[in-house]
Amino acid sequence: MNFDDQRIIDEYFRTLEDWKGLPAYKLETRIDSIVGFALPEIIKDIKGYSVKEVIPELPLRVGTLLYKEKERFEKDKWKQIANKSNKVDFYVLTECHKNLFIEFKSDIGSLNDGQNGYLKKAKKCGMEKILDGIIKIASVSTYEKKYKHLLEKLHNCGLIKGENGNIHQTARQSTIDLIYILPTKPKKDIKQEIIYYETLADSISRSYKGSEIMERFASSIMEWSNDR
């Protein structure tokens, strides 16, 4: 790598470090693609699992998450919200068929009870119901091309089968492990597994030793681990 490339990489991450200090700058939406790209190596290093697939922003059907609370909604309201979705930052399927839901935060203050609540509901539902919910959304969504792509990825993972309106889930394991990636310890115990930024930075440094951009990213992750 030549000097200019090194300088550009360093300036880029210095810019992110500076901008993170601004009130409305949402860092996680700028760096989640790097984290997602690195997740297979991170999960292998920290958890020991080989990763088969990573899918960002996996939709979690509201009607699936709230099914047991359905009776508290008026019929028209339920029809209005049932096929909407919340999202989990990353769905990771391991080669041993573990289902990991990973929520990534760059600011500890962005962690909220509402989000933690629906993720815990998703975990309780299990992967089979989550997949059924995705199939239902796909059947009515106006984003046909995007949901077709998602269904293809799930099919290639062996999580669904069928076609032409006759699609069904085929998850090998229903249990979902929920993992948060956080800069530092939250004020309130979220009662879920947490990978802290210091651990994340160490993992990236080990997994991508010799990579200028990833080692510089790990340095920024360490800087951001001081978030309060």
Side-chain angles (χ1 to χ4, degrees):
M1 181 175 290
N2 62 43
F3 173 77
D4 283 341
D5 289 338
Q6 292 177 348
R7 177 178 57 79
I8 290 168
I9 289 170
D10 190 53
E11 287 183 1
Y12 171 72
F13 284 106
R14 283 182 184 275
T15 298
L16 289 181
E17 289 167 2
D18 175 39
W19 287 359
K20 185 184 184 296
L22 299 173
Y25 190 76
K26 298 185 182 302
L27 180 70
E28 61 204 52
T29 61
R30 275 75 178 188
I31 63 172
D32 66 343
S33 60
I34 309 178
V35 173
F37 169 78
L39 268 179
E41 296 297 332
I42 293 167
I43 295 300
K44 177 68 174 177
D45 180 65
I46 295 176
K47 303 288 291 179
Y49 303 138
S50 295
V51 170
K52 185 172 185 176
E53 185 63 83
V54 176
I55 300 177
E57 300 294 338
L58 189 77
L60 310 172
R61 183 175 177 268
V62 171
T64 301
L65 302 181
L66 297 181
Y67 185 76
K68 291 185 177 180
E69 304 170 45
K70 182 179 178 180
E71 297 303 318
R72 69 184 180 88
F73 295 93
E74 295 181 0
K75 188 174 182 179
D76 288 344
K77 180 64 174 179
W78 181 255
K79 286 179 65 176
Q80 182 182 356
I81 68 169
N83 287 316
K84 294 185 181 298
S85 66
N86 298 124
K87 309 291 189 299
V88 60
D89 286 338
F90 300 103
Y91 166 63
V92 175
L93 175 66
T94 73
E95 292 286 357
C96 60
H97 308 290
K98 282 189 172 293
N99 304 295
L100 311 180
F101 278 13
I102 298 179
E103 193 67 18
F104 171 69
K105 295 293 184 185
S106 63
D107 293 279
I108 200 68
S110 66
L111 190 64
N112 62 76
D113 290 340
Q115 187 176 51
N116 191 38
Y118 74 68
L119 289 173
K120 287 166 68 175
K121 282 184 170 68
K123 178 179 178 178
K124 192 171 182 179
C125 284
M127 200 63 203
E128 294 165 341
K129 290 181 180 179
I130 294 299
L131 291 168
D132 283 337
I134 292 171
I135 293 167
K136 288 177 181 177
I137 296 175
S139 69
V140 299
S141 176
T142 57
Y143 295 99
E144 294 180 22
K145 188 174 181 180
K146 290 182 178 290
Y147 269 95
K148 181 180 178 182
H149 185 52
L150 174 57
L151 293 178
E152 286 173 350
K153 290 179 76 67
L154 295 173
H155 181 272
N156 292 339
C157 289
L159 292 168
I160 63 172
K161 286 185 178 179
E163 56 184 11
N164 299 326
N166 188 27
I167 302 172
H168 58 280
Q169 67 80 22
T170 54
R172 294 276 295 273
Q173 187 172 208
S174 187
T175 302
I176 295 169
D177 293 338
L178 179 56
I179 303 171
Y180 284 83
I181 300 178
L182 302 178
T184 189
K185 187 175 181 179
K187 292 180 181 179
K188 185 177 180 180
D189 186 4
I190 59 175
K191 302 186 185 305
Q192 304 296 336
E193 182 176 354
I194 299 172
I195 296 173
Y196 292 108
Y197 272 26
E198 288 188 8
T199 302
L200 180 66
D202 288 343
S203 178
I204 292 171
S205 294
R206 283 193 299 270
S207 300
Y208 292 93
K209 190 174 182 61
S211 166
E212 293 283 351
I213 188 168
M214 295 305 283
E215 288 188 351
R216 183 61 182 82
F217 181 52
S219 177
S220 288
I221 290 289
M222 281 298 296
E223 174 72 20
W224 296 323
S225 69
N226 295 317
D227 177 69
R228 291 291 183 271

